[in-house]
Amino acid sequence: MDLRIIGQMAVSGALMGLVYALIAYGFQLTYATSRSLNFGQGELVMVSAFVALTFTDLGLPYGLMVPCALLFGALAGLAVERAAVRLALQQKSEGWIMLTIILGLFLLSASENLWGRDDRPFPTPIPSEAIRVLGIEVTPLELSVAVGALAVMGLIELFKRATLQGKAFEAVSADPEAAELMGISSRRTVMLSYGFSGAVAALAGILVSPITTVGPTMGAVLVLKAFSVAVVAGLDSGFGVVVVGMALGALESLASFYLGSGWREAPGLVLLITTLAARPYGLFGRAIIRKV
Amino acid sequence: MVLRSLSSLALVLAVLPLTGADTVKIALTGPFSGGSAPMGLSMRDGARLAIAEINAAGGIQVGKARLRIEVLERDDEAKNERGALIAQELSSMPDLAGVLGSVNTGVVMAGDKHFQEKGITKIITPAAGSQSMTQWSQAGVRDLSIFRFAAHDGIQSSMVVAEAQRRGFEKVALLFDSTNYGVSGRDDLVREIAAQGGKLKVVAAEKFNIGDKDMTAQLLKAKSGGAQAVLIWGIGPELAAVANGMAKLGLKVPLIGGWTLSMSNFIDNAGRNGNGTLMPQTFIEEPINPRVKAFIDNFHRTYKVTRMASPVSAAQGYDAVLIFAAAVRQAQSTDTHRIKEALEDLKEPVKGVIATWVHPYSRWDPNREETHEAFRKEQTVMGMVQDGRVVFGNPADRERLARSDKPVPPSAPSKVRKTR
């Protein structure tokens, strides 16, 4: 067994796994405050990537395109909360499941009509020539995924821990009704979480598109993996999604090499089933004790 | 500017659907959206140009009438099930003269049985997968209404293997997608390697799925096996992922494969990493003689582009319509069965943009698929990706084709292709 090959496969896979982790983190942000998820998160990644590409085509420099695309993602997240989640939460129904799925399908159709169905290259100033680290080839593009994903997750975690609004986030996450009694608007906090979640989706789109190209179906594959990562890690552990995302990416690559390329999806499935059987609240999740 | 607008308007008017008895109704099918769209749209646009020219000249003379071509277009989205539905719909039309198109081998296999059942004449272009035709010879079909106008994978794989051998390689890796096209291409490559003396050793045979972007595992197997070339069968976006993956892993060996490596979504997505890639082509977008120049200029002007997304598909779509129209003229009928009989014994040479076609098909013989295949090796050259375009891989081919504006020989099969 060649250690260099194992290292190459593990590193390449783990770097890609950070994209799963970033999208999974978007799931966590909204689940923490509202116990709801945006099942159209993949489509949000895709639409944001197309919008970012359009900004670039219009001549916006990269440094300006990124904040504009993040702003678009945040606004799109807010729109999802307003259109598909708020009413269902007010009525304490699970309607948000269907509504977010439908909204995702709508975004898919709209994108196909607006931008077509072709995969398109995503220009980036980051060079794609590989560099060799300890005999392992990595590209600056892959490293940018890692740096960008970890940076934004770190910043949001810092926001949650160090600011008053961030602490409100934690309070609503722990007990929304108690938080309301303390004068914290849970509605505004849920909106904020959806805004963050949309911005995170946009960042995932910007980071991954130069590697994967931009196309209407790009979100579907990523979001399934990301959802597995969120469930396996536990829906309340930011650290967990990073570890599980990287592990899943590495396992997929290794399975693809050693078992054959047709077995690439197997580790995710095994990991999901095993975790749900042994720790239904996730590897890094906390079991909630409910008093009756 | 005004002239350009007028010519665009004329084209639109010329291909607008017409109704009535004074028309020849044909259908164009293919993926006009999705990853295979560069091929489908180019084929459609090339065909539209030929149709516009025929209609602008008054149509096809049948008896005392001049019949204009009426076009139906169907987007199969490269989906097998959608292709089957379209074929069912078209084959139920009582007045359909014929069908041209299909890009994906899986779509061809899913749909063509409906055309064959109803005896609808179909010219497959540009789908090149061997199974498109071998399915009929294997089934021992005695009378076939399906023809092909593309350099099939048998021709292409033999050229790809020969190219690897010409360069003195001994070890190669095979990469292929998991569709009917990719698997059929792999089988052709393996067969050709054996047929050409088995001098090439296959150190890795790896598949990838449509939509896969990370090819590290497959390429590492090729690299660790010491592959001196990667022979590949797939379509644009995944091919680009392979080229980019090769650059990332420092696998600096030639990428040689099927004609689809000339698709714009390979060339654009691979960028500089695609330079030097080699693939068999039936048409190179270079104005090597006046006829080719006129076609290229007309295409660019009409569709306001500076490069065809898939030149092979465009040229084949154009020539296929001319051949079909010649068959209608010879049959003196819009009846699809009589057109099929005329195609099998086409007397009039057809001056196309790829070649002048003399007797491109002959009566179907299930033991010789060449009878319904128009292309031979002589009409296929090696193309090479260079700075965003496909150029001649071998400059001698450019000289040869520039000089030869004469008809290609009749289609007496030069070599019997074994039934698979």
Side-chain angles (χ1 to χ4, degrees):
Chain A
M1 213 178 259
D2 188 337
L3 280 178
R4 201 183 59 78
I5 287 178
I6 296 176
Q8 178 71 61
M9 296 308 304
V11 168
S12 287
L15 291 175
M16 194 62 196
L18 275 170
V19 178
Y20 308 154
L22 189 58
I23 301 171
Y25 187 67
F27 281 128
Q28 282 191 344
L29 282 169
T30 60
Y31 187 79
T33 56
S34 62
R35 295 288 179 264
S36 67
L37 302 168
N38 175 14
F39 282 105
Q41 190 81 352
E43 281 69 29
L44 216 55
V45 172
M46 175 269 295
V47 170
S48 303
F50 267 124
V51 169
L53 185 62
T54 307
F55 285 148
T56 307
D57 289 346
L58 289 173
L60 225 56
Y62 193 81
L64 204 54
M65 175 275 284
V66 173
C68 288
L70 292 184
L71 182 65
F72 167 83
L75 293 174
L78 289 174
V80 170
E81 190 273 336
R82 183 69 189 87
V85 178
R86 189 183 296 180
L87 192 64
L89 289 182
Q90 281 169 358
Q91 294 174 344
K92 298 199 186 307
S93 82
E94 307 298 326
W96 53 267
I97 298 175
M98 205 60 215
L99 285 167
T100 53
I101 291 172
I102 289 170
L103 203 58
L105 290 173
F106 171 76
L107 287 177
L108 178 65
S109 300
S111 302
E112 285 181 348
N113 285 308
L114 281 172
W115 290 290
R117 292 181 186 174
D118 293 342
D119 289 338
R120 293 165 60 183
F122 190 95
T124 170
I126 302 163
S128 57
E129 281 77 22
I131 47 175
R132 183 176 274 241
V133 184
L134 300 172
I136 293 169
E137 315 278 351
V138 285
T139 63
L141 272 177
E142 288 174 323
L143 291 176
S144 74
V145 171
V147 171
L150 292 174
V152 81
M153 286 192 270
L155 282 174
I156 293 176
E157 286 300 315
L158 194 66
F159 166 83
K160 280 158 64 173
R161 284 166 173 74
T163 68
L164 201 59
Q165 189 59 50
K167 290 192 193 304
F169 219 86
E170 293 289 293
V172 172
S173 175
D175 189 337
E177 280 157 14
E180 284 278 356
L181 291 173
M182 301 302 288
I184 296 169
S185 166
S186 59
R187 197 186 80 177
R188 202 175 304 151
T189 310
V190 170
M191 281 173 65
L192 189 67
S193 70
Y194 267 88
F196 275 147
S197 174
V200 161
L203 185 73
I206 294 167
L207 290 176
V208 77
S209 293
I211 300 172
T212 64
T213 67
V214 185
T217 54
M218 67 180 283
V221 181
L222 291 171
V223 82
L224 265 178
K225 306 277 178 65
F227 192 62
S228 298
V229 168
V231 171
V232 171
L235 279 159
D236 51 11
S237 170
F239 171 73
V241 292
V242 174
V243 174
V244 173
M246 292 178 76
L248 178 66
L251 278 174
E252 278 184 345
S253 282
L254 288 166
S256 175
F257 186 82
Y258 286 106
L259 303 178
S261 41
W263 294 97
R264 190 181 179 86
E265 314 302 329
L269 187 68
V270 172
L271 201 61
L272 191 62
I273 292 172
T274 316
T275 308
L276 286 177
R279 282 176 71 91
Y281 41 87
L283 292 176
F284 296 87
R286 287 168 297 194
I288 296 167
I289 298 164
R290 191 171 288 170
K291 289 178 186 169
V292 289
Chain B
M1 189 66 191
V2 175
L3 271 177
R4 191 179 291 177
S5 306
L6 282 175
S7 67
S8 299
L9 181 68
L11 179 78
V12 170
L13 290 174
V15 298
L16 268 181
L18 301 167
T19 50
D22 293 338
T23 61
V24 183
K25 190 195 274 186
I26 67 168
L28 298 177
T29 67
F32 305 144
S33 54
S36 300
M39 295 183 282
L41 291 171
S42 297
M43 180 276 297
R44 185 194 69 182
D45 291 346
R48 277 180 174 183
L49 278 188
I51 291 165
E53 285 173 13
I54 292 167
N55 285 349
I60 305 168
Q61 188 81 46
V62 174
K64 288 180 182 169
R66 287 185 80 89
L67 307 183
R68 286 165 61 82
I69 297 178
E70 177 190 344
V71 189
L72 299 169
E73 293 178 359
R74 294 289 184 273
D75 178 7
D76 61 39
E77 300 170 19
K79 293 176 182 161
N80 298 357
E81 67 284 4
R82 178 129 185 81
L85 276 174
I86 289 171
Q88 271 182 307
E89 179 215 346
L90 294 175
S91 57
S92 67
M93 292 181 179
D95 54 348
L96 191 68
V99 181
L100 272 71
S102 297
V103 166
N104 307 84
T105 304
V107 172
V108 170
M109 294 186 70
D112 280 7
K113 61 177 180 289
H114 299 289
F115 297 128
Q116 170 61 13
E117 274 169 17
K118 296 282 175 70
I120 305 282
T121 302
K122 155 103 184 267
I123 299 182
I124 302 169
T125 190
S130 293
Q131 289 177 7
S132 306
M133 297 305 280
T134 55
Q135 64 168 326
W136 305 116
S137 52
Q138 280 169 352
V141 169
R142 307 303 307 171
D143 189 18
L144 185 66
S145 67
I146 313 291
F147 298 79
R148 176 147 57 182
F149 194 73
H152 60 76
D153 281 355
I155 292 175
Q156 291 185 55
S157 54
S158 117
M159 289 175 72
V160 166
V161 171
E163 183 70 28
Q165 286 190 347
R166 193 179 68 77
R167 289 167 175 250
F169 300 145
E170 291 171 352
K171 294 177 178 178
V172 293
L174 308 186
L175 261 66
F176 53 97
D177 74 28
S178 54
T179 66
N180 297 64
Y181 173 67
V183 173
S184 162
R186 176 206 55 191
D187 293 347
D188 282 329
L189 282 173
V190 169
R191 195 175 298 110
E192 279 301 329
I193 287 171
Q196 296 192 26
K199 290 171 192 159
L200 290 179
K201 186 183 174 201
V202 177
V203 294
E206 293 291 311
K207 72 174 175 185
F208 49 87
N209 295 318
I210 296 296
D212 280 0
K213 303 295 181 191
D214 180 14
M215 306 293 181
T216 311
Q218 293 93 329
L219 292 170
L220 262 183
K221 281 212 169 164
K223 193 177 181 183
S224 57
Q228 295 162 305
V230 172
L231 311 187
I232 191 165
W233 238 252
I235 59 166
E238 291 77 35
L239 298 175
V242 169
N244 294 336
M246 285 171 70
K248 177 190 140 185
L249 293 177
L251 185 56
K252 290 176 183 150
V253 299
L255 185 62
I256 317 172
W259 75 277
T260 46
L261 283 160
S262 64
M263 285 167 69
S264 57
N265 53 12
F266 166 74
I267 295 172
D268 294 342
N269 292 341
R272 276 189 305 164
N273 298 333
N275 279 352
T277 299
L278 293 159
M279 78 300 285
Q281 298 284 278
T282 58
F283 182 77
I284 305 278
E285 196 179 0
E286 282 190 41
I288 52 166
N289 63 39
R291 198 194 312 174
V292 172
K293 184 176 186 316
F295 172 70
I296 294 171
D297 289 347
N298 195 11
F299 194 99
H300 289 183
R301 191 172 51 245
T302 306
Y303 302 110
K304 298 178 178 59
V305 293
T306 54
R307 186 192 67 175
M308 296 174 187
S310 173
V312 165
S313 309
Q316 288 180 187
Y318 182 85
D319 277 12
V321 166
L322 297 186
I323 286 175
F324 190 86
V328 174
R329 196 156 39 241
Q330 181 174 310
Q332 284 295 291
S333 167
T334 58
D335 178 71
T336 192
H337 303 284
R338 291 183 61 182
I339 293 168
K340 175 235 154 200
E341 283 165 10
L343 271 176
E344 286 183 329
D345 186 22
L346 206 56
K347 295 187 166 53
E348 170 196 347
V350 178
K351 205 166 184 179
V353 69
I354 298 172
T356 298
W357 302 94
V358 180
H359 209 271
Y361 303 106
S362 50
R363 189 166 171 73
W364 169 251
D365 177 350
N367 294 314
R368 290 207 321 246
E369 291 136 16
E370 283 84 354
T371 48
H372 273 208
E373 297 266 18
F375 279 79
R376 301 288 177 268
K377 223 176 207 172
E378 300 81 72
Q379 289 107 41
T380 315
V381 298
M382 198 54 90
M384 183 174 75
V385 176
Q386 191 60 50
D387 300 328
R389 300 187 85 89
V390 177
V391 299
F392 283 92
N394 181 359
D397 284 327
R398 183 193 292 112
E399 304 304 319
R400 178 173 60 85
L401 290 178
R403 280 196 309 271
S404 76
D405 206 17
K406 58 189 180 190
V408 294
S411 71
S414 53
K415 179 183 130 192
V416 175
R417 195 165 125 218
K418 276 190 180 169
T419 300
R420 297 186 276 274

